[in-house]
Amino acid sequence: METTYSKVINFIEKHHMIEAGSLVVVGVSGGADSVCLLHILKRLSEDIPFRIVAVHVDHGVRAESAEDAAYVERLCRELGIPFYLHKVDMNGYAAEHGLSSEEAGRQLRYAVFEEVLSQQQNAAVCKIAVAHNANDRAETMLFHLFRGSGIKGLSSIQPVRGSVIRPLLCLERAEIEQYLAERNLAYCQDSTNEEDKYTRNKIRHYILPYAEKEICSGVVAHMGELADIVSETERYLAKQTKVLYEAFVEEKEGCLCLRCDRLLAEDSVIYKRVLLLCMERLTPHRKDITGQHISNLVNLMTKQGSKELSLPYGIKAYKEYDMLMLCQHPDGDMFRTEDSDAADQVYVIEPPAEIDVPGEGTYTFILCENDAALWAKQENIPENRYTKWFDYDKITTDLLLRTRRQGDYLTIDAALHTQSVKQYMINEKIPKIQRDNIHVLADGAHVLWIPGYRISQCYKVDESTKRILQVQLRGGNHDGAD
């Protein structure tokens, strides 16, 4: 019995679950696991000063649920622990939200735990303790395996997840029952645990006992060890995935844009995870994203030409040139700002000026007189994609910052040959759905600069320039840097 208690305490210390001054909300159903958890935490609180609050959630399903609630209340009174009872309509909630009864119950319980937690005061650290044990972890692992889960699913139930702690995850069910028997602690029996209509119960009643008897003794412990190994692997891969996501993925107004060639140069394990992370950023529930969706995205990335793909939650994936774009907007215009009027705004520039363009950043316009010293300095300034200099006196009309128009052109060489802005954007492989939303700096139909790309040869500064217009784009996705 004391060995069991020490095992749990060591597990709590290993995972830094509880510290002095904490408030721990304990979910207590009245079953063996939760009674054991409550009793052990009560004993621990005598050595480490922390507060315990017990919460019992009545799901409104079983006839004996009132008896369970009364038992938990009585137990808490004996232990001197504050008790909260909450009643919920699990079946009604499941029907309303299209969930299984198990998932509905889980969501409702955690919502109640969070509610009780929010009502407590004077606690620097708040935790929610639930009574999952090693058998639960093994059952969940098999459940995810049979459903074709990835590494994260195979790591199964974690000792700590945010504010949720699971101190009994180191104990098997037999150890818990032995602890209660040796201390003469009663507990409630949940009749639904004996029903085989639940998938988890089938694993519990048939698969694990068969594996223990016919395949390998100590199977639950071995699966726990594997879950720990898989968890370590998942944590490492998650860190690597985040690094590549930040390097390869550009976030634009809730949409994502990435270079196919750069991503596909990585190992398939990593680039598939990056794609999954992209989908997680755009969808409310990871469980709705399957391996087939990720495979479809990979196929889209490797196809030639422009293609598109429909995904869950109205997300569309677009492939243009070597760019993959994931967009939630139903019209597919992922580069438009939410304020369409702002996207179509025409700005008349009279330097000095500072213009904020939604989704792009802040343009700063400065006008200065040229002289020999400044000209020499201009010639030695390194190329910068987001800071440019123009001969202001060559501008013949109002200087405008606007989106492109039909007939816009650039001067592309010293011989003053021209090229349409449309053709230039095609040559530069700027995605079609992006072209109409890039602001350009224009003198009538003559474009001085496509920000992030090239300037017109006609407006370049030379030794005869009298006034220089400096234009810088900062903030947005570029912050004025390459």
Side-chain angles (χ1 to χ4, degrees), residues 406-426:
Q406 186 174 0
D408 282 349
Y409 66 94
L410 290 157
T411 304
I412 58 174
D413 56 32
L416 302 184
H417 293 115
T418 63
Q419 183 179 69
S420 71
V421 169
K422 177 181 179 180
Q423 187 59 51
Y424 173 79
M425 289 184 168
I426 291 173

Side-chain angles (χ1 to χ4, degrees), residues 44-297:
L44 178 60
S45 69
E46 296 171 0
D47 296 324
I48 302 176
F50 66 91
R51 292 165 54 204
I52 301 174
V53 172
V55 178
H56 178 83
V57 180
D58 184 345
H59 297 89
V61 176
R62 297 180 294 112
E64 64 270 25
S65 62
E67 298 176 7
D68 294 350
Y71 169 73
V72 175
E73 183 176 13
R74 186 168 60 253
L75 176 64
C76 290
R77 191 183 308 117
E78 293 172 357
L79 295 174
I81 295 173
F83 169 77
Y84 291 83
L85 170 64
H86 283 253
K87 295 183 179 181
V88 297
D89 180 8
M90 184 180 75
N91 288 338
Y93 183 86
E96 180 182 354
H97 294 86
L99 302 171
S100 67
S101 57
E102 290 175 291
E103 177 61 19
R106 188 191 69 81
Q107 290 188 15
L108 288 170
R109 284 193 301 275
Y110 281 102
V112 170
F113 298 154
E114 292 288 356
E115 179 184 348
V116 172
L117 203 59
S118 67
Q119 296 170 354
Q120 306 303 308
Q121 298 179 352
N122 302 321
V125 180
C126 298
K127 302 288 186 178
I128 297 171
V130 290
H132 292 109
N133 60 47
N135 291 68
D136 294 322
R137 193 181 199 189
E139 293 160 10
T140 301
M141 191 178 193
L142 288 176
F143 182 72
H144 289 163
L145 174 66
F146 297 152
R147 294 183 63 190
S149 174
I151 291 178
K152 189 171 184 178
L154 292 180
S155 64
S156 192
I157 302 172
Q158 296 298 297
V160 178
R161 179 179 59 82
S163 62
V164 178
I165 60 175
R166 299 180 172 91
L168 300 192
L169 209 56
C170 60
L171 297 182
E172 294 188 28
R173 189 165 288 121
E175 294 176 281
I176 291 171
E177 292 175 352
Q178 182 180 1
Y179 178 91
L180 295 175
E182 291 175 347
R183 284 196 167 263
N184 295 316
L185 291 170
Y187 55 90
C188 305
Q189 296 283 358
D190 186 344
S191 59
T192 61
N193 288 335
E194 305 304 318
E195 299 174 0
D196 286 340
K197 67 178 182 179
Y198 297 110
T199 302
R200 187 176 299 276
N201 286 355
K202 294 175 183 177
I203 295 173
R204 178 180 302 168
H205 297 156
Y206 303 107
I207 297 177
L208 278 178
Y210 182 87
E212 176 72 29
K213 181 179 179 180
E214 302 292 340
I215 299 176
C216 178
S217 62
V219 65
V220 170
H222 296 324
M223 292 180 70
E225 293 168 358
L226 175 59
D228 289 337
I229 294 171
V230 175
S231 295
E232 290 179 351
T233 305
E234 169 61 25
R235 284 193 294 272
Y236 171 76
L237 290 175
K239 289 179 181 178
Q240 297 302 111
T241 302
K242 184 178 179 181
V243 169
L244 291 184
Y245 178 92
E246 293 174 350
F248 293 164
V249 181
E250 181 180 359
E251 298 181 353
K252 271 183 171 283
E253 297 294 327
C255 301
L256 307 176
C257 182
L258 54 95
R259 285 275 301 273
C260 299
D261 55 346
R262 292 182 63 193
L263 188 60
L264 291 174
E266 301 295 327
D267 190 272
S268 61
V269 171
I270 289 295
Y271 70 63
K272 288 178 181 179
R273 289 181 64 96
V274 172
L275 292 173
L276 178 59
L277 181 55
C278 288
M279 292 298 296
E280 289 178 346
R281 294 291 179 95
L282 297 174
T283 56
H285 304 295
R286 173 172 174 163
K287 66 182 180 64
D288 296 316
I289 306 304
T290 67
Q292 187 60 53
H293 292 132
I294 303 304
S295 295
N296 290 342
L297 280 173

Side-chain angles (χ1 to χ4, degrees), residues 1-50:
M1 180 173 59
E2 291 308 308
T3 300
T4 300
Y5 176 75
S6 298
K7 187 175 181 179
V8 175
I9 301 311
N10 290 336
F11 190 70
I12 290 173
E13 292 176 350
K14 176 183 177 181
H15 294 282
H16 311 288
M17 293 183 179
I18 299 173
E19 58 188 75
S22 298
L23 168 67
V24 181
V25 171
V26 187
V28 187
S29 67
D33 300 340
S34 63
V35 169
C36 178
L37 173 62
L38 187 65
H39 194 271
I40 287 177
L41 291 182
K42 175 61 178 177
R43 292 181 62 186
L44 178 60
S45 69
E46 296 171 0
D47 296 324
I48 302 176
F50 66 91

Side-chain angles (χ1 to χ4, degrees), residues 463-476:
E463 64 273 11
S464 66
T465 298
K466 294 182 179 179
R467 291 186 295 175
I468 294 175
L469 175 66
Q470 176 182 294
V471 186
Q472 182 180 44
L473 171 59
R474 66 182 189 277

